């Protein structure tokens, strides 16, 4: 176990004066502007914001897939200039290798590092055991449910003992029940490994439930609109989601996001219009209204 | 960490079924395979009907737009088959054709697959080779026969060359297609697990392209046989295509049909071989 997961209690992410524009035929598309974020070692930080605001862009720049147009991304003081096993990534589309079994997927990073076969097999089994997947080590990903695939995705990203874990809407494609279980599993792994996590989601409850801190982004071009500390105690329980503290945080974040979502939609739909619609709907079935 | 262990919604594991009697097992097997059995039964009946129609058309020498006057009957073909399998010359024809296919097709695969992989990965190679390939590709392999005879010192080499050409382009084009469809997210996943160019090629691009490579090999094998038979009929000595054509010249009509059937069986056999190889190489795709 210890040979697999070294590198704990490090992983200080620093993003400064960051902006990123995509080159297109119609000229540059400014996706993210003037952004500063940081993640302290061992901290769990989420980024929320309306879709298209540049969350993935920011995360991909931290991963090293995109170069910032201006500004700098560093991890533990070292400038990021390309993908590396130091920064593990989990994708919404699972992105497991279909031609590798569950265990071979988990072993991949260790194989790339040149670890001998028997050693990495043992390491992969240990990790799969932690995620309750030991019975599926010989299965191909196609046969697994979405939740199991994503568990493999997380385990695979953690196998090389990265300093930080980046997740881009990892549970977005899962049903509500599975998502809750996955959140629990991720929290457990994070607490065990003391790794820094940068988590992108559009689910406000998920962000609050998981995080130490939440960044809320503006509509495109995205920048940080607000930074909200989440003072809820740990370990967190599902029941906390009904607490007044949680609900207050939720209300605050909700209104921030709502403002930005409306902006993102062009601002045509104003608050009054929305209220009018809900009043008209009152007492009628949807079919009556249509 | 009990939460993980209890959290995983593991699919229900069916308890081991109690040992069933032979009768129950047979019945269950029948139920599960009913559709397949039905298809097989109908297939056999359909083939028998085909033979019967063939038999009737030739026995009564039907002339109705097409003339069955000289067409051999199934029984005549069977008779020439029993004679042929004891005839070393017939077996040699078949063996020679198989050897030509083996050499021509193997060369096409050994050159076409790596070339397609490299073209798919390196822009410059693609830009240089693709235009030439596109110009040569529409020329049917048979149209190469005169040129092949000029190019190669021996007849044997020119026939193998034609076979090679026939299978080369389907293999190249399908490999390229497979490379162009590789999911970029998988490449990214490999990169942030520490994979470098070489490993990404071996661990991602190649396996991701395999299904299309095998489509190319299957199509290529089919075209290889088409090209081979045409080349043998035109320029050959020996080979199953030559055998079929010679049978016509020598007025041995039963051998024409025998040659045709042999070609069909060989083509079917070789495409089954490729499919089997595909299942061996891509275990994740078999159900
Ligand atoms: N490759 C690209 N070329 C041009 N524009 C892009 C590209 N990728 C993303 N964008 C644009 O940049 C903005 C931010 O995208 P993204 O980071 O994916 O948003 P999010 O993940 O928050 O939904 C979007 O408006 C999107 O249309
Ligand atoms: Mg996104």
């Amino acid at each position: 176990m210890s040979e697999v997961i070294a590198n704990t209690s490090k992983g200080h992410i620093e993003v400064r004066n960051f902006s990123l524009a995509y080159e297109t035929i119609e000229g540059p598309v400014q996706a993210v502007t003037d952004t500063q974020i940081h993640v302290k070692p061992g901290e769990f930080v989420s980024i929320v914001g309306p879709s298209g605001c540049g969350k993935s862009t920011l995360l991909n720049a931290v991963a090293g897939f995109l170069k910032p147009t201006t500004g700098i991304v560093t991890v533990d003081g070292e400038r990021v200039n390309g993908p590396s096993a130091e920064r593990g990534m989990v994708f919404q589309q699972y992105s497991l290798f279909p031609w590798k079994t569950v265990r071979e997927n988990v072993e991949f990073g260790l194989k790339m590092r040149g670890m001998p076969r028997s050693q990495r097999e043992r390491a992969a089994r240990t990790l799969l055991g932690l995620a309750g997947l030991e019975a599926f080590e010989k299965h191909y990903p196609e046969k697994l449910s979405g939740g199991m695939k994503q568990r493999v995705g997380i385990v695979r990203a953690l196998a090389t003992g990265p300093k930080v874990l980046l997740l881009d809407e990892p549970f977005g494609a899962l049903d509500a029940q599975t998502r809750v279980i996955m959140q629990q599993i991720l929290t457990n792994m994070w607490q065990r490994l003391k790794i820094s996590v940068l988590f992108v989601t559009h689910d406000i409850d998920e962000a609050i439930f998981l995080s130490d801190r939440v960044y809320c982004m503006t509509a495109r071009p995205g920048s940080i609109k607000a930074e909200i500390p989440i003072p809820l105690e740990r370990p967190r329980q599902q029941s906390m989601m009904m607490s007044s503290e949680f609900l207050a945080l939720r209300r605050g974040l909700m209104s921030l996001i709502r403002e930005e979502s409306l902006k993102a939609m062009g601002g045509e739909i104003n608050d009054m219009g929305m209220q009018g619609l809900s009043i008209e709907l009152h007492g009628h079935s949807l079919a009556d209204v249509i | 960490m009990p939460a993980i262990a209890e959290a995983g919604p593991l699919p229900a594991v069916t308890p081991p079924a109690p040992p069933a009697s032979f009768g129950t097992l047979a019945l269950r097997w029948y139920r599960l395979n009913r559709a397949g059995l039905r298809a097989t039964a109908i297939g056999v009946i359909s083939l028998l009907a085909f033979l019967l129609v063939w038999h009737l058309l030739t026995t009564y020498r039907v002339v109705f737009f097409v003339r069955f006057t000289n067409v051999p009957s199934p029984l005549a073909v069977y008779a020439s088959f029993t004679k042929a399998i004891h005839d070393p010359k017939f077996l040699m024809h078949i063996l020679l054709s198989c050897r030509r296919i083996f050499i021509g097709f193997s060369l096409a695969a050994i050159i076409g697959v790596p070339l397609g992989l490299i073209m798919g990965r390196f822009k410059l190679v693609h830009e240089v080779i693709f235009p030439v390939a596109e110009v040569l590709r529409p020329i049917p392999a048979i149209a190469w026969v005169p040129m092949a005879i000029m190019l190669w010192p021996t007849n044997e080499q020119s026939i193998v060359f034609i076979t090679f050409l026939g299978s080369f382009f389907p293999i190249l084009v399908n490999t390229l297609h497979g490379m162009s469809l590789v999911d970029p997210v998988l490449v990214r996943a490999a990169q942030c697990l520490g994979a470098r160019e070489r490993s990404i090629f071996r661990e991602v691009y190649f396996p991701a392209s395999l299904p299309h490579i095998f489509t190319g090999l299957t199509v290529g094998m089919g075209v290889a046989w088409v090209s081979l038979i045409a080349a043998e009929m035109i320029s050959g000595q020996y080979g199953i295509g030559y055998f079929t054509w010679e049978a016509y010249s020598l007025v041995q009509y039963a051998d024409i049909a025998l040659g045709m059937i042999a070609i069909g069986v060989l083509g079917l056999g070789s495409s089954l071989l490729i499919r089997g190889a595909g299942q061996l190489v891509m275990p994740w795709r078999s159900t």
Side-chain angles (χ1 to χ4, degrees):
Chain A
M1 196 47 215
S2 55
E3 69 194 0
V4 186
I5 298 145
N7 258 335
T8 52
S9 74
K10 272 206 180 166
H12 183 102
I13 306 174
E14 191 83 52
V15 177
R16 266 179 287 139
N17 304 326
F18 177 91
S19 80
L20 197 147
Y22 290 104
E23 291 302 329
T24 68
I25 289 221
E26 289 108 41
V29 172
Q30 196 69 38
V32 181
T33 61
D34 191 26
T35 290
Q36 342 278 334
I37 63 167
H38 69 278
V39 181
K40 283 179 281 201
E43 197 181 18
F44 198 121
V45 174
S46 289
I47 302 176
V48 296
S51 79
C53 74
K55 303 183 293 293
S56 298
T57 305
L58 185 53
L59 200 73
N60 281 325
V62 177
F65 297 127
L66 296 172
K67 292 241 174 307
T69 311
T70 67
I72 184 171
V73 178
T74 60
V75 174
D76 291 335
E78 263 179 64
R79 191 192 192 114
V80 168
N81 53 9
S84 127
E86 283 192 348
R87 277 158 279 127
M89 181 120 176
V90 177
F91 306 82
Q92 177 172 4
Q93 314 92 308
Y94 313 126
S95 72
L96 302 179
F97 304 118
W99 45 86
K100 290 183 179 293
T101 61
V102 166
R103 178 160 52 74
E104 287 166 343
N105 264 282
V106 173
E107 277 177 37
F108 186 83
L110 301 172
K111 185 176 176 187
M112 292 302 104
R113 199 199 263 174
M115 187 185 275
R117 180 186 291 268
S118 61
Q119 206 178 335
R120 62 175 198 251
E121 269 187 28
R122 213 168 336 118
R125 285 218 181 87
T126 311
L127 284 163
L128 284 169
L130 286 178
L133 285 164
E134 59 275 73
F136 299 93
E137 58 164 324
K138 292 209 174 73
H139 285 53
Y140 285 103
E142 196 199 25
K143 305 254 167 70
L144 304 183
S145 69
M148 285 197 269
K149 279 185 200 165
Q150 202 55 298
R151 265 189 275 169
V152 179
I154 293 171
V155 170
R156 182 179 70 175
L158 290 173
T160 48
K163 292 180 178 177
V164 304
L165 184 63
L166 312 170
L167 305 99
D168 192 351
E169 306 202 20
F171 310 143
L174 303 177
D175 61 77
Q177 288 92 326
T178 311
R179 190 186 295 210
V180 168
I181 294 160
M182 294 299 295
Q183 290 165 359
Q184 204 70 56
I185 291 173
L186 180 62
T187 309
N188 278 320
M189 292 243 170
W190 165 70
Q191 279 178 330
R192 232 184 140 91
L193 304 175
K194 300 187 175 59
I195 188 175
S196 315
V197 174
L198 188 54
F199 187 94
V200 164
T201 179
H202 60 246
D203 182 333
I204 293 169
D205 289 332
E206 181 169 84
I208 301 172
F209 184 71
L210 292 173
S211 312
D212 297 322
R213 226 152 24 89
V214 177
Y215 285 110
C216 176
M217 285 181 82
T218 64
R220 206 190 82 195
S223 58
I224 302 303
K225 185 184 174 81
E227 179 188 340
I228 296 126
I230 308 293
L232 300 175
E233 66 188 41
R234 295 188 185 270
R236 296 199 178 147
Q237 311 291 339
Q238 212 58 44
S239 56
M240 284 182 184
M241 298 183 88
M242 292 299 153
S243 70
S244 57
E245 214 181 346
F246 190 100
L247 291 175
L249 285 165
R250 184 174 197 269
R251 218 171 303 126
L253 256 174
M254 196 74 114
S255 68
L256 286 170
I257 297 248
R258 188 176 157 80
E259 257 173 58
E260 292 307 318
S261 300
L262 290 175
K263 248 189 250 168
M265 288 167 125
E268 301 130 32
I269 313 163
N270 58 37
D271 265 2
M272 285 309 289
M274 295 289 265
Q275 271 165 19
L277 190 66
S278 62
I279 289 164
E280 272 173 39
L281 267 171
H282 218 81
H284 299 270
S285 77
L286 197 57
D288 289 340
V289 178
I290 298 166
Chain B
M1 205 168 52
I4 284 176
E6 72 187 19
L10 310 182
V13 180
T14 38
S21 74
F22 178 76
T24 342
L25 275 179
L27 197 69
R28 233 182 259 159
W29 184 87
Y30 169 75
R31 281 217 195 99
L32 285 172
N33 294 285
R34 197 164 5 188
L37 286 173
R38 188 188 124 108
T40 312
I42 294 179
V44 169
I45 293 170
S46 159
L47 281 174
L48 288 175
F50 175 80
L51 280 177
L52 181 67
V53 171
W54 175 13
H55 176 76
L56 293 175
L57 287 173
T58 47
T59 328
Y60 295 102
R61 294 174 190 274
V62 175
V63 177
F64 182 72
F65 293 107
V66 284
R67 302 154 298 155
F68 286 90
T69 345
N70 289 325
V71 175
S73 74
L75 288 172
V77 175
Y78 182 72
S80 81
F81 168 70
T82 48
K83 211 166 66 200
I85 50 166
H86 298 296
D87 180 2
K89 249 178 100 184
F90 179 75
L91 297 178
M92 189 196 58
H93 283 305
I94 286 185
L95 230 61
L96 259 170
S97 288
C98 288
R99 202 181 76 167
R100 286 163 179 166
I101 285 284
F102 179 75
I103 299 174
F105 177 82
S106 300
L107 281 175
I110 291 168
I111 297 172
V113 172
L115 187 62
L117 292 172
I118 290 167
M119 281 171 75
R121 196 72 192 100
F122 302 102
K123 252 208 178 112
L124 181 66
V125 184
H126 190 279
E127 285 160 353
V128 170
I129 293 178
F130 193 67
V132 182
E134 279 300 278
V135 169
L136 294 182
R137 193 162 68 95
I139 304 172
I142 308 153
W144 277 88
V145 169
M147 184 67 81
I149 294 171
M150 287 196 303
L151 276 171
W152 295 91
T154 71
N155 218 349
E156 189 62 26
Q157 285 163 338
S158 54
I159 293 177
V160 169
F161 178 65
I162 302 282
T163 315
F164 163 81
L165 276 179
S167 45
F168 177 71
F169 287 108
I171 293 173
L172 178 68
V173 168
N174 278 285
T175 306
L176 262 177
H177 184 58
M179 285 296 279
S180 72
L181 294 180
V182 174
D183 185 353
V185 178
L186 292 181
V187 177
R188 287 186 163 191
Q191 281 173 334
C192 62
L193 288 165
R196 308 223 164 262
E197 184 60 35
R198 213 177 236 272
S199 311
I200 293 173
F201 199 90
R202 197 184 55 233
E203 305 270 357
V204 181
Y205 279 99
F206 179 60
S209 303
L210 267 179
H212 287 94
I213 291 174
F214 270 89
T215 307
L217 293 177
T218 311
V219 177
M221 182 56 94
V223 184
W225 276 103
V226 172
S227 314
L228 173 78
I229 299 303
E232 284 178 347
M233 284 187 170
I234 296 170
S235 71
Q237 306 133 349
Y238 315 117
I240 191 68
Y242 172 75
F243 169 88
T244 309
W245 188 253
E246 189 197 32
Y248 175 72
S249 319
L250 298 179
V251 208
Q252 282 164 350
Y253 294 137
D255 282 352
I256 295 181
L258 178 63
M260 288 169 67
I261 292 170
I263 292 165
V265 169
L266 290 171
L268 183 70
S270 44
S271 73
L272 283 179
L273 272 181
I274 291 181
R275 202 197 292 176
Q279 279 167 355
L280 270 183
V281 178
M282 302 180 286
W284 69 92
R285 298 199 102 221
S286 46
T287 44

